[in-house]
Amino acid sequence: MDKFKTLEPLKLYSTPTSASPIRKASIAPQFVGRLPSDLHLLTLSYLPVPDFSAYARCSHATAALAESERLWETRWKSLNMDNKRLGAVLDDLEEHSKGRAAESRAAAPPTINVDDEFGDFASVDVPPDEMGDFVGAFQNPTTPITASLWTNTSKSNSTFRAQYIRAHNLLKPLTKALSSPPHIILNDLATAVTPSLRLEASTLRLLFLFLSQTIQPVRKWREYKFAFRSAMDRFDANLLAAFDHADEKGDEDGMREAAESSWLVWDGASSDWEMGKVWAEKRGIFYDQPWDPLANFTKDRHLAFDAMDDFMSIVLKALSDHGSRAVRVFPPEAGVLISFSERVASEVVGEYISTVLTRAREIAIDVFLKATAASFREAWKMVDTIIAAGGESTSRTSAEDVVFRMFESNMDEYLDEETEAIKPAFEAICKDWDRQASERQTHTGDASARFLTSQNPSQVKRNVLASFTNVLLLPVTIVPRTVGAVGGALVSGGTAVGGAAAQGIAMLNPQRWGGGTSNVHEGYQKHGDGNEMMFEIGTDEDDEAEAIAEKTESWNGQSDLSAPTSAAPLSAGTLQNASTSLDHMEQMDTLLSLDVALELIHTSRESLKRLETFAAYPDRIGDRVRDTIEEVFILMLQALGDGHVKPGFSRATARMTAYKPAEHEETTSVAPLLQFFELVHIGDTIQSMIQVYFDKEMAPHIDKTDFLNSVVREKKRFENSLDDSVAGGLNAGTEVLMNQVEHIILRLTAPREYYPPENAALDLKPTKGCIEAIKCLEMHCKLLKGSTSKEVLEVFHQEVGIRLIAILQKHIKRQIISLSGGFQVIADLNAYHSFIASLKVPSITADFAHLKMLGHVYVVEDAKDLAQIVRDVTRYGGAYRPEDIYEFIQRRSDWKKIEKTVDKTMYNLSFKEDCIIT
């Protein structure tokens, strides 16, 4: 009983600490001898096949490792048996092996079986140097090792080891002839398979893979592989001769068989496949070159790419003919079509373009820029031809890369010159406008405020922007050609499309906004000849141009862009008087011009369209193209904002501040402010044009929601600069306007306007000064509507109201007001209140309501009631203190009579009776 132990409770669930050793034990490495099995397998992966037998005989464990599928899977897959042609080689070799075995048995002499005490012996003729190639690793180590070929003892023929044994048994006999010269090797191999170029090439390829470092089927595999490489080169040379012979006869079947066989035996060690390279070299396109690249330049040193059209027609025909044959003859994986196209692109098209660009650069930078974009557009035709010739076997990306690689050497120089050339172009436009403006300083006889004379400036602006949008839809010429070269679409002249473009430019002419003359202003044509249009019609885009022409046919019937009469416009006579009232002051509409904005946009658009030709470029060049597109737009904004808009508004603001109302006869309008309002309309239209241009041309290239994008930031800066310029001008304009209002009130208010004679009849209408002041304010406030944002307009109205209150308070305190004149004051204040209420600014409307209530202090007769009104601070909403109202009632004509009573009632004292001065 002492030997028995007490039973311990059974643990149903093992703790984590107890589970950890179990997991470790489950993945513990297995050892064979003192080394882990993984190390054995790693060593076996580098072991030649003849040494497997010696390793397998060491023990049962090593024999099991020698049969591991991991080892034979690598060797089997290195034979690339997934290729159906290589798989057919083994079947053919096996069939020929069985046939030879049957023939040898039939030719052998008959034998008599004799049994003796020594038993049965099997003899075989084995060379002494091959005794080590016994493959005992494939047999059970307990079985006797014989000199026969490997025996597949595995139960399944689907294992990697079994498949490799079959390939080894069929390929190893072929290695005996590899010590012979190349022609003998080829003869022996030709007798081992069915006569066929493809089958012979597949056999060579398979045997070449068999003699590899991964497999190492025999110990002399390196020597055999070197000799075998010479035999393959000889075979490839024979194939090349057969291919040339078939090519001369036009036998595509023979060419295809030779090409496929040559591709099989090519090891890929060299950069180019010899057969494809030789075939391409014999094409006549590389030698017959009857073209002259300099024929693309006219005698006037202008571009005309008709010669390049003819050149590209020859190139495209050669690509189509030879490329389609290359696809039919050569294996798709050889990529002969792409390599042939690359050679045509670099040696033929590239050389042609290089000569054109060199000559264009010698002429002028702008010619070089146009020639670069046009050359790329012409070369791009190769892409569609390559795809058409290659069919499904050729991707669009590979076809595009042919042109990209060919043209890449020109891109860095082009992108640098594009940005460097456009800067002086922008500066020249702005300087040319300044020069023209200085020449027109003395011409003041034409009222130029065309926005203001229209019946609806907002509608005019919408019509102008609609016309501008249609002009942006007109294609820009990328490939220059001679007049009438394609479809009758002229670069300049009188076709339907050209007329549509000219009509579109004419609609942007301010002369037409007022419905007057229809002559096109010279500024809306490119400087120089009047027949050359601002936007040229691209002959590469004929269908698009015809569509635009149909869309713009209705323009010819429109002569007046203004909206139906819905508001009373300013008369031209008023603006004429306002203009002539400046005397010799320079007209401010010469400071800002839609013409300059249009020219800058046009120059930028030409550059942008050239750059868009390269927008599909990948990698580094593509990034540079996109950066250059953004940079061109940014430079345009900087030139327009800093070089034209901002200086124009600054000069206009400075001239407004120098305006003195008393020095001019006109009193109902402020001439510099009217012209500043015209500037505001032009500035707003320019900003809208920039927005349209941005949406149409730039938005596809950038993310408009990315506030960190340089284009978005520069556009925001331009808009803020324009808003600041308008705000600064409006501040100065408000000062000038209110000085004019004060001048009107002082000049038109009679000395006894509010102190009429006692017997005079009361006319409870606003005074003439009040009417003229309101008319002046109302006119200028209406002019600003539609030309700036609602927020800026509200601030302007609020500033006008605040300053008008100060003027009216100052004006009232200057008057002597009787009881009957008090009613006149109330009439004027009511009129001012009605005007302010029409502005719909609640804050200043409430202030004028309180000011209107203040007029009642002049019509109260009883002094005590007047004192009570003065003391009632809630009556004026806290806008006026009793002390402020006390100052106003001192302007009453009877103040001396009621002063004592008012003081006593307000303060319960009289200064004369209750105050003692010591």
Side-chain angles (χ1 to χ4, degrees), residues 68-85:
S68 174
E69 283 293 298
R70 288 171 54 185
L71 297 173
W72 305 109
E73 179 182 3
T74 303
R75 285 173 164 82
W76 171 254
K77 289 184 176 180
S78 65
L79 293 175
N80 195 18
M81 298 305 296
D82 295 335
N83 190 328
K84 294 181 180 180
R85 294 180 179 176

Side-chain angles (χ1 to χ4, degrees), residues 287-513:
Y287 309 105
D288 299 333
Q289 299 182 353
W291 45 77
D292 180 16
L294 299 182
N296 294 281
F297 299 91
T298 64
K299 295 180 180 179
D300 299 332
R301 307 177 77 182
H302 294 159
L303 290 174
F305 268 37
D306 301 273
M308 193 166 187
D309 286 336
D310 299 336
F311 162 73
M312 287 305 301
S313 299
I314 299 174
V315 172
L316 296 180
K317 186 177 185 303
L319 270 180
S320 179
D321 295 342
H322 300 310
S324 58
R325 167 168 281 195
V327 172
R328 294 192 301 269
V329 169
F330 296 103
E333 57 271 18
V336 176
L337 172 61
I338 296 299
S339 60
F340 172 68
S341 301
E342 287 179 346
R343 185 165 181 180
V344 171
S346 61
E347 297 184 10
V348 179
V349 181
E351 292 295 332
Y352 187 96
I353 291 177
S354 178
T355 305
V356 171
L357 296 184
T358 301
R359 176 56 180 162
R361 187 172 182 82
E362 294 173 355
I363 296 175
I365 292 298
D366 60 332
V367 176
F368 169 75
L369 298 178
K370 295 176 181 178
T372 304
S375 299
F376 184 82
R377 176 68 64 86
E378 287 286 312
W380 191 254
K381 296 177 182 178
M382 296 175 59
V383 174
D384 294 332
T385 303
I386 294 172
I387 295 175
E392 297 180 355
S393 62
T394 304
S395 64
R396 186 169 189 86
T397 301
S398 59
E400 291 176 352
D401 288 343
V402 171
V403 181
F404 287 147
R405 283 192 289 268
M406 177 271 294
F407 209 84
E408 187 171 352
S409 59
N410 304 310
M411 287 304 299
D412 287 327
E413 181 183 9
Y414 163 74
L415 294 176
D416 292 338
E417 294 295 344
E418 189 70 67
T419 53
E420 292 299 324
I422 202 168
K423 294 177 184 178
F426 288 151
E427 294 176 0
I429 293 173
C430 295
K431 290 180 180 179
D432 187 52
W433 170 256
D434 293 338
R435 178 185 57 80
Q436 295 180 16
S438 62
E439 293 175 356
R440 291 196 295 266
Q441 286 183 5
T442 57
H443 301 286
T444 59
D446 190 11
S448 56
R450 300 171 185 85
F451 276 105
L452 305 183
T453 54
S454 64
Q455 296 185 5
N456 190 338
S458 299
Q459 182 63 35
V460 172
K461 200 172 303 179
R462 286 192 292 271
N463 291 335
V464 171
L465 291 177
S467 301
F468 174 72
T469 303
N470 289 330
V471 170
L472 284 182
L473 292 176
L474 295 175
V476 174
T477 299
I478 298 298
V479 180
R481 296 184 178 91
T482 55
V483 175
V486 179
L490 304 182
V491 175
S492 61
T495 62
V497 178
Q503 182 69 13
I505 297 300
M507 294 187 73
L508 294 178
N509 181 11
Q511 292 286 350
R512 296 197 57 177
W513 303 342

Side-chain angles (χ1 to χ4, degrees), residues 101 143 161 193 229 405 528 679 754 780 785 912:
T143 60
R161 179 173 177 272
V193 295
R229 178 72 265 178
R405 283 192 289 268
L679 252 63
Y754 302 116
H780 291 88
K785 287 184 179 179
K912 292 182 180 180

